[in-house]
Amino acid sequence: MTFLDFNFDSKLQDGLESMGYTKPTPIQQQAIPVILSGRDVIACAQTGTGKTAAYILPVINKMMASDHRHLNTLVIAPTRELAQQIDQQIEGFAYFTGVSSIPIYGGGDGAAWDQQRKALEFGADIIIATPGRLIALLAAGTINLTHLQHLILDEADRMLDMGFYDDIVRIISYLPKERQTLFFSATMPPKIRTLANKILTNPEEINIAIAKPAAGIVQQAYVVFEEQKGALLKHVLKTTQWNSAIIFSSTKEMVKKLDGSFQRSGLPARAFHSDLDQQEREEILRGFKNKQISILIGTDVLSRGIDVEGISLVINWDVPPDPEDYVHRIGRTARAETTGTAITFINEKDQRRFFSIERLIDSVIPKLPLPEGLGAGPAYEPEAKKKTTFKSGGSNGGKKPFKKRFNNNRNKPGGNHPKPAQ
Ligand code: AMP
């Protein structure tokens, strides 16, 4: 399945392509058609599963097909960081669509408050708000939610943990009863169910179960610059105890490149990727199972399905784009109650991805110091504000950065985006 199967408006599809999205994640595959159909949704999905796009893409698409001159959608999120992150994603998706968004959160200085108030006066289609700040705006009459069509609660369980239950109930009392409500939570304890029953009408329930890594896997990571990875790989293979190892990379090209350097070094390694025919693949797997081949280098084709016992080491040359693939990759080791080690190389570009994985599996993976002689690696700063730019070759020629926050064009209802370069 690809995003084309949803038949989104071509301008929304352009945004998706510019952001490099091609294949919907499981939560997106399940939730998008239901949301497009207009039904309420209650979804159990963690951060890292692609839940933001799952709820916002169908909402943007519906908005484009209607007259969206009023505030149309409210997303309530527990923290300022999450509100900003959601807003950044919306900016990317909606870049070509004329749909606008504003994040509203507390904790800033007076200037930030002023900026948010001004932005609200100019109007926006989507507001992403933390509960406390939203209550303050509602109480002050700064914000009018009477035309609202979509309410989205993101990370509802976290909001309840943070004591926002009463605030949420109060916010909902300001909303029209006729609306579509999308309720996302990582867990579904009874209190969450009670809240959901209160605010949803005949919802479709979606549950994305995530496999947790087996307890016997020792997970470690190195934060490295791309050019340090080759020397690091040599070091890991020399200093870690292993009999059979798999090295994963997200791209076929890298798998082939690594294969080339292993062949030159004389180690019994073989590459496994989608360019090989069935017979070649079977032959390689047989060799790996009977230990004639001790290192397999593969793409994620290899991360699902192969069931070989006794793999003691998994090395992730890079961080997989889909967090669930990480769980699948490292699950190749420590099968059947044995133990194994999984080591991931994280370059600067992959830090946010790795952070999503840590949130998905709910644990912080130790970052080991680089071995002596390799020099210093980059700092691990996964939450540093991402500078989002379009990929080269995207619909805007790959040149133009996203719009500046609250630029002068914001006073045009539904049309606050700068024109992309033609
Ligand atoms: P979320 O669970 O919404 O926090 O998303 C986790 C990360 O996955 C974000 O960095 C998204 O940009 C990314 N992501 C979500 N869906 C897709 C997709 N279909 N293709 C590629 N990246 C995605």
Side-chain angles (χ1 to χ4, degrees):
M1 180 177 212
T2 73
F3 278 103
L4 292 171
D5 295 314
F6 297 124
N7 275 324
F8 285 144
D9 187 290
S10 61
K11 290 186 180 131
L12 179 56
Q13 186 62 37
D14 284 349
L16 278 173
E17 279 167 22
S18 299
M19 289 179 80
Y21 281 46
T22 49
K23 206 173 144 278
T25 64
I27 183 77
Q28 292 160 4
Q29 288 181 27
Q30 289 186 48
I32 290 173
V34 181
I35 299 172
L36 286 173
S37 79
R39 274 190 71 178
D40 281 6
V41 165
I42 175 165
C44 194
Q46 286 137 315
T47 295
T49 54
K51 65 183 166 57
T52 315
Y55 62 67
I56 212 68
L57 291 174
V59 162
I60 294 174
N61 197 66
K62 283 165 61 176
M63 227 181 271
M64 292 179 73
S66 70
D67 171 20
H68 57 88
R69 302 196 59 185
H70 296 289
L71 175 54
N72 174 293
T73 296
L74 171 65
V75 183
I76 311 180
T79 62
R80 164 194 183 137
E81 289 71 30
L82 185 61
Q84 287 172 323
Q85 219 172 284
I86 297 167
D87 180 57
Q88 277 175 19
Q89 285 207 44
I90 296 176
E91 265 190 79
F93 299 138
Y95 188 77
F96 301 101
T97 67
V99 168
S100 57
S101 61
I102 300 175
I104 299 285
Y105 45 78
D109 52 14
W113 171 235
D114 238 28
Q115 202 178 33
Q116 292 177 15
R117 243 199 12 240
K118 269 196 201 116
L120 276 173
E121 278 168 26
F122 291 150
D125 304 304
I126 306 173
I127 284 183
I128 309 105
T130 52
R133 176 54 59 99
L134 186 59
I135 289 274
L137 288 165
L138 286 166
T142 316
I143 201 165
N144 180 357
L145 297 174
T146 48
H147 294 281
L148 199 87
Q149 291 182 13
H150 306 103
L151 167 68
I152 299 160
L153 281 101
D154 197 347
E155 298 200 359
D157 50 351
R158 216 160 134 207
M159 289 201 272
L160 261 51
D161 285 348
M162 290 167 77
F164 286 135
Y165 187 95
D166 292 339
D167 280 353
I168 290 171
V169 172
R170 208 171 136 208
I171 290 166
I172 287 167
S173 73
Y174 285 88
L175 308 183
K177 295 228 165 354
E178 231 359 75
R179 58 165 199 264
Q180 185 178 20
T181 305
L182 312 173
F183 190 103
F184 281 72
S185 188
T187 56
M188 285 291 161
K191 207 169 172 200
I192 284 284
R193 288 260 166 216
T194 312
L195 177 65
N197 287 340
K198 236 188 188 140
I199 64 176
L200 294 162
T201 311
N202 184 26
E204 168 101 14
E205 188 152 346
I206 297 172
N207 201 337
I208 299 295
I210 296 293
K212 292 266 174 198
I217 309 174
V218 176
Q219 298 177 66
Q220 298 168 336
Y222 288 98
V223 183
V224 279
F225 290 112
E226 191 62 28
E227 53 279 12
Q228 293 173 311
K229 285 183 178 176
L232 181 61
L233 179 62
K234 274 193 199 141
H235 169 88
V236 168
L237 289 174
K238 215 187 274 173
T239 56
T240 313
Q241 281 225 329
W242 60 276
N243 301 315
S244 283
I246 299 186
I247 302 169
F248 283 108
S249 169
S250 305
T251 67
K252 228 170 8 199
E253 291 66 35
M254 184 47 78
V255 166
K256 289 179 184 170
K257 212 163 143 190
L258 285 170
D259 185 36
S261 53
F262 272 109
Q263 299 316 321
R264 286 192 291 280
S265 72
L267 271 167
R270 288 293 296 275
F272 188 100
H273 48 74
S274 56
D275 282 355
L276 302 173
D277 64 33
Q278 190 61 27
Q279 204 184 338
E280 287 171 307
R281 289 195 203 185
E282 281 171 18
E283 188 199 314
I284 292 172
L285 283 184
R286 243 191 333 271
F288 189 60
K289 275 182 187 167
N290 63 30
K291 314 289 178 212
Q292 284 165 337
I293 298 170
S294 54
I295 301 174
L296 220 49
I297 312 154
T299 58
D300 283 296
V301 174
L302 197 61
S303 73
R304 295 172 192 248
I306 78 150
D307 194 7
V308 179
E309 285 187 16
I311 300 171
S312 41
L313 177 64
V314 167
I315 297 174
N316 292 316
W317 176 265
D318 48 34
V319 180
D322 178 349
E324 271 192 74
D325 278 334
Y326 174 82
V327 180
H328 289 292
R329 283 185 182 188
I330 70 168
R332 296 310 105 201
T333 182
R335 295 188 85 69
E337 315 280 302
T338 58
T339 55
T341 306
I343 299 176
T344 304
F345 296 175
I346 314 165
N347 67 13
E348 290 158 290
K349 194 168 69 46
D350 282 348
Q351 292 194 5
R352 274 175 84 97
R353 275 188 191 167
F354 196 71
F355 188 61
S356 297
I357 290 168
E358 290 183 312
R359 277 192 298 188
L360 179 74
I361 62 175
D362 202 17
S363 61
V364 176
I365 297 161
K367 320 290 175 304
L368 305 182
L370 289 178
E372 260 178 53
L374 238 72
Y380 186 59
E381 294 174 321
E383 289 188 282
K385 196 164 160 44
K386 190 166 65 172
K387 250 178 131 184
T388 324
T389 48
F390 277 91
K391 291 193 165 171
S392 59
S395 325
N396 68 346
K399 291 193 190 83
K400 194 160 182 122
F402 287 133
K403 71 179 190 280
K404 279 225 161 62
R405 312 299 310 144
F406 312 136
N407 58 34
N408 293 336
N409 295 332
R410 277 211 176 261
N411 53 358
K412 293 178 203 144
N416 66 347
H417 291 265
K419 273 257 174 291
Q422 295 299 306

